[in-house]
Amino acid sequence: MHDQQARIKSHIESHQHMASPLLPLLHAIQDDLGYIPEESYSNIAKALNLSVAEVHGVVTFYHHFRTHPPGKHVLQVCRAESCQAMGSEALETHVKSSLGIDFHQTTSDGAITLEPVYCLGNCACSPAIMLDDQVYGRVSSKQVDRLLADAKEAV
Amino acid sequence: MTTTIYVPRDSSALSLGANQVATAIMHEAAARNIPVNIVRNGSRGMFWLEPLVEVVTDAGRVAYGQVTEDDIDSLFTAGFLEGEDHALRLGLTEELSWLRNQERLTFARVGITDPVSLQDYLDHDGYKGLHQALTLAGSDIVQQVTDSGLRGRGGAAFPTGIKWKTVLEAKAEQKYIVCNADEGDSGTYSDRMIMEGDPFVLIEGMTIAGIAVGATQGYIYVRSEYPHSIETLNLAIKTAYASGYLGRGILGSKHDFYLEVRRAAGAYVCGEETALLESLEGKRGLVRFKPPLPAISGLFGKPTVINNVISLATVPIIMDKGSVYYRDYGMGRSRGTLPIQLAGNIKHGGLVEKAFGVTLRELLYDYGGGSASGRPIKAVQVGGPLGAYLPESQFDTPLDYEEFGKLWAVLGHGGIVAFDDTVDMAHMARYAFEFCAIESCGKCTPCRIGSTRGVEVMDKIIAGTEQAQSIALVKDLSDTMLNGSLCALGGMTPYPVLSALNHFPEDFGLVKKEHAA
């Protein structure tokens, strides 16, 4: 906990002097910790001369930011039209039932967080998913199962 | 002799295993004690063939398609380093008809060069436009862009030169150039291909824009879903600074231009220019009222040029070859070329840059090869999630802003998503409302409330209850959103909804064709 506060403090210090630093700072914190702890709002607000409400407002506006730690791996399944045209809905149903969770939830073992995403820019290779930082194209249910099994093993 | 091999670093190629292929080639070459030079290029845009590996031979670059790491051993054995035959060999890349019949102006270098090599960029006509711009007055640069007929490629199709002129004439101690790289439309990836495949052309275009209007600071606002674009841009920007193409006194001139990448955070509405500016300022991405236009009061309240990636990346070739050269492509008031992105249920998905005037049918069948599933194409959505659905009877429409306008459709950012006959258009109409509800910034009521009501009413239609009243309600609701929303998100959601209803009434449980708009 103490370590976390120190890391947040150092991110604040390295960002506070840039032009409109809030989004880059929030990215830095989430990249480092996996989420943006609500306890950090007051320190961020003070350093950037904002109100806590403004910080909260920004964090909660953007789909990318999360206020709670995700699972060990984050799986994003594209729901946009191009992927729908190539069967992403069946893929989505398969992933949800095999993981036993819905979107925005984490498996009970803490291994996988499932999120929807609206376009990964991989539309000529639909359907697409992103597992952590890696995009996969022309994905089949079998391939997702394999990727998830590998990811769980690596936990 | 060292053989040069190209393996793309484009996200789509990576999504199909390009990194594994590159590693396998390296290992196999080392094991066979053959010296090779692997260049990580952008994608040629033939995504159904990715990972597409090219080998440099005396005859030219020879392409091998859909290469997996398991193929590497047999490729070496077959002599692919000399361009020899193999089941995956496609022939000389330049002679592939998909590429040969295109008019690649904005995408002239994408897939050909090493995206992060400044030398490669310079060797392929890079920075010629900037050198030309440095000899001109700002107003002359703006005039050239105006004369080229270039219109905003993000979707709004507003004349780029007019926008620049407003910023040029605005008096302020600080002006900004902002690049909208928040490419959130489903079925589009041309911005991504430029950023990953030829980042210097975007940097050059923004630098020229800065010189033209007197702006010294630029920002590229890139989606967080595009980590590779951000990485490639940052590498190129660093090199540009180190080589005098960015920073103080560009190439020894009196012009300064500083450039920075800013990462978005997954809000579709931030692709709307005023919401993007709010986001850049570190706020919630709420749409602003217009006027004032961003050109008068934009980022931090200063005059701001805000353009899409493709618009800015097209400026260098206009400056290099002249406005007439560019204007000579196209039809009507749609001048130049459009990078078209084929996506969805299509056999040959990829990037086709053509002069305006090419028809949907040519794109879907001559280039796209029909549907991926082999079933008839029932509908295409052109221009992203806010674009209309077009039925087969409209496939002969030429790609032209005004021609599409006549059909109550849009070209948008040039994405075309194909659906085969298994699609349920009532379901797609429901999704359009749902997407709007998820992504609405919440500032205006028609979009915030209308989208959720739209989902509820579509659920009734799909369930077959209160059919007639529900359809009347969808039309009424669409009318309110169309005319009452602050921006295109709420204002254009009726396009996919009503076009689906108009062209495919049978999917809504209606027998007779009704006209909604």
Side-chain angles (χ1 to χ4, degrees):
Chain A
M1 201 62 203
H2 195 70
D3 171 55
Q4 195 178 70
Q5 279 175 2
R7 277 151 74 178
I8 290 173
K9 187 163 170 261
S10 93
H11 289 305
I12 292 175
E13 280 166 4
S14 62
H15 283 82
Q16 71 186 123
H17 300 295
M18 66 194 290
S20 71
L22 185 54
L23 258 72
L25 171 60
L26 295 176
H27 274 301
I29 294 172
Q30 181 159 311
D31 286 350
D32 185 13
L33 307 176
Y35 72 112
I36 299 159
E38 289 173 354
E39 304 82 67
S40 68
Y41 290 178
S42 62
N43 286 338
I44 294 171
K46 205 177 288 173
L48 271 47
N49 200 20
L50 299 168
S51 70
V52 171
E54 283 171 308
V55 177
H56 172 79
V58 168
V59 172
T60 53
F61 180 84
Y62 295 96
H63 300 304
H64 178 79
F65 296 131
R66 55 172 78 88
T67 53
H68 293 90
K72 192 92 181 162
H73 301 281
V74 178
L75 174 67
Q76 294 179 295
V77 178
C78 181
R79 289 196 67 213
E81 289 89 341
S82 178
C83 287
Q84 286 187 43
M86 289 302 281
S88 65
E89 286 194 322
L91 186 70
E92 184 184 319
T93 309
H94 171 81
V95 170
K96 283 178 182 172
S97 74
S98 67
L99 291 175
I101 52 172
D102 205 341
F103 281 135
H104 310 296
Q105 294 179 350
T106 302
T107 52
S108 55
D109 59 359
I112 312 283
T113 295
L114 182 63
E115 300 281 358
V117 66
Y118 297 88
C119 198
L120 294 163
N122 199 23
C123 321
C125 307
S126 293
I129 62 162
M130 194 163 182
L131 181 60
D132 299 326
D133 290 332
Q134 184 62 50
V135 179
Y136 298 86
R138 294 186 211 135
V139 175
S140 62
S141 297
K142 256 191 194 156
Q143 192 186 351
V144 181
D145 289 345
R146 208 162 47 234
L147 288 168
L148 289 176
D150 290 349
K152 281 193 172 181
E153 228 165 75
V155 165
Chain B
M1 203 188 79
T2 305
T3 307
T4 300
I5 303 168
Y6 288 87
V7 185
R9 61 189 294 154
D10 176 279
S11 300
S12 275
L14 298 182
S15 84
L16 299 168
N19 276 346
Q20 288 83 335
V21 167
T23 307
I25 292 174
M26 216 163 66
H27 287 159
E28 191 63 31
R32 293 175 184 239
N33 211 8
I34 302 170
V36 292
N37 169 33
I38 299 177
V39 178
R40 304 305 301 271
N41 56 336
S43 173
R44 296 277 193 161
M46 300 181 285
F47 287 115
W48 78 98
L49 295 173
E50 292 287 1
L52 181 91
V53 174
E54 291 175 86
V55 179
V56 178
T57 70
D58 291 339
R61 279 159 74 158
V62 177
Y64 297 82
Q66 296 182 342
V67 178
T68 68
E69 49 189 328
D70 300 333
D71 299 315
I72 303 306
D73 179 51
S74 74
L75 279 166
F76 270 87
T77 303
F80 92 125
L81 292 182
E82 287 78 42
E84 295 296 329
D85 207 13
H86 184 276
L88 302 178
R89 187 181 189 274
L90 301 164
L92 291 169
T93 318
E94 299 296 336
E95 288 177 9
L96 299 174
S97 63
W98 166 277
L99 280 177
R100 212 181 43 213
N101 298 330
Q102 297 195 27
E103 284 125 4
R104 289 204 167 184
L105 305 184
T106 310
F107 276 72
R109 274 172 299 268
V110 176
I112 295 173
T113 55
D114 176 352
V116 294
S117 162
L118 176 60
Q119 193 54 52
D120 221 2
Y121 186 65
L122 295 172
D123 290 344
H124 289 82
D125 296 337
Y127 276 122
K128 280 190 177 173
L130 176 67
H131 280 285
Q132 180 62 21
L134 284 170
T135 66
L136 299 173
S139 56
D140 292 332
I141 300 173
V142 172
Q143 193 59 47
Q144 280 227 37
V145 174
T146 307
D147 291 345
S148 74
L150 179 66
R151 291 163 73 179
R153 297 286 188 254
F158 187 82
T160 306
I162 306 286
K163 212 181 235 187
W164 287 24
K165 188 163 186 270
T166 311
V167 178
L168 172 67
E169 289 171 356
K171 299 260 177 292
E173 73 283 4
Q174 179 69 57
K175 299 178 185 178
Y176 295 101
I177 308 297
V178 173
C179 172
N180 184 345
D182 198 34
E183 184 177 54
D185 287 355
S186 174
T188 67
Y189 44 80
S190 60
D191 294 352
R192 182 182 64 65
M193 284 181 70
I194 286 285
M195 293 187 282
E196 292 172 5
D198 195 16
F200 284 110
V201 81
L202 176 58
I203 298 169
E204 182 182 355
M206 292 184 74
T207 309
I208 294 170
I211 293 168
V213 305
T216 53
Q217 177 69 50
Y219 291 101
I220 309 175
Y221 184 87
V222 189
R223 318 178 67 206
S224 54
E225 292 86 347
Y226 285 0
H228 298 291
S229 298
I230 294 172
E231 188 193 341
T232 314
L233 279 172
N234 278 327
L235 280 170
I237 287 172
K238 203 173 157 195
T239 305
Y241 270 112
S243 316
Y245 287 96
L246 280 176
R248 200 184 159 86
I250 290 161
L251 296 180
S253 72
K254 62 178 169 43
H255 300 284
D256 303 339
F257 193 68
Y258 300 87
L259 186 56
E260 194 182 323
V261 173
R262 284 293 173 103
R263 190 167 152 205
Y268 176 77
V269 76
C270 289
E272 195 283 334
E273 59 180 14
T274 62
L276 189 156
L277 295 173
E278 288 286 298
S279 181
L280 263 184
E281 291 181 11
K283 301 172 190 160
R284 292 162 69 89
L286 298 186
V287 173
R288 293 178 183 172
F289 289 101
K290 285 194 278 192
L293 294 169
I296 306 288
S297 176
L299 186 62
F300 305 117
K302 304 293 184 210
T304 303
V305 165
I306 174 161
N307 282 140
N308 170 254
V309 172
I310 301 298
S311 310
L312 288 162
T314 302
V315 168
I317 194 165
I318 292 171
M319 293 311 296
D320 176 24
K321 304 218 166 165
S323 54
V324 174
Y325 173 84
Y326 190 75
R327 200 184 54 203
D328 278 351
Y329 290 90
M331 68 176 277
R333 288 177 50 222
S334 305
R335 308 314 312 175
T337 58
L338 182 69
I340 299 138
Q341 303 123 85
L342 297 178
N345 198 327
I346 194 91
K347 197 170 167 193
H348 299 155
L351 190 287
V352 181
E353 184 176 354
K354 287 287 282 181
F356 286 94
V358 60
T359 66
L360 270 177
R361 196 178 298 280
E362 288 171 70
L363 291 164
L364 292 170
Y365 296 98
D366 296 352
Y367 284 93
S371 72
S373 61
R375 303 179 67 95
I377 297 178
K378 173 172 168 176
V380 295
Q381 187 178 29
V382 183
L386 307 175
Y389 285 100
L390 286 83
E392 209 267 340
S393 61
Q394 296 182 331
F395 287 179
D396 291 312
T397 312
L399 266 69
D400 169 273
Y401 294 118
E402 280 65 41
E403 289 297 318
F404 265 63
K406 284 181 202 162
L407 298 176
W408 205 65
V410 293
L411 280 184
H413 186 47
I416 299 177
V417 178
F419 293 83
D420 72 11
D421 61 352
T422 60
V423 68
D424 174 353
M425 297 308 295
H427 184 79
M428 298 317 294
R430 183 195 186 279
Y431 174 81
F433 278 129
E434 185 193 3
F435 180 71
C436 181
I438 293 166
E439 298 296 342
S440 176
C441 82
K443 185 156 174 171
C444 72
T445 315
C447 175
R448 183 183 68 245
I449 309 281
S451 51
T452 298
R453 292 288 171 268
V455 173
E456 293 164 1
V457 180
M458 279 310 305
D459 279 339
K460 282 188 187 169
I461 294 172
I462 290 166
T465 52
E466 299 170 42
Q467 198 80 356
Q469 300 99 301
S470 297
I471 286 186
L473 207 52
V474 163
K475 292 178 185 175
D476 193 37
L477 189 59
S478 294
D479 187 56
T480 304
M481 290 177 73
L482 194 67
N483 295 299
S485 300
L486 249 187
C487 82
L489 179 50
M492 286 178 63
T493 293
Y495 276 67
V497 172
L498 295 182
S499 59
L501 179 57
N502 275 337
H503 299 306
F504 307 96
E506 62 281 4
D507 286 5
F508 292 73
L510 299 176
V511 188
K512 271 192 288 178
K513 198 173 166 81
E514 291 193 19
H515 286 276

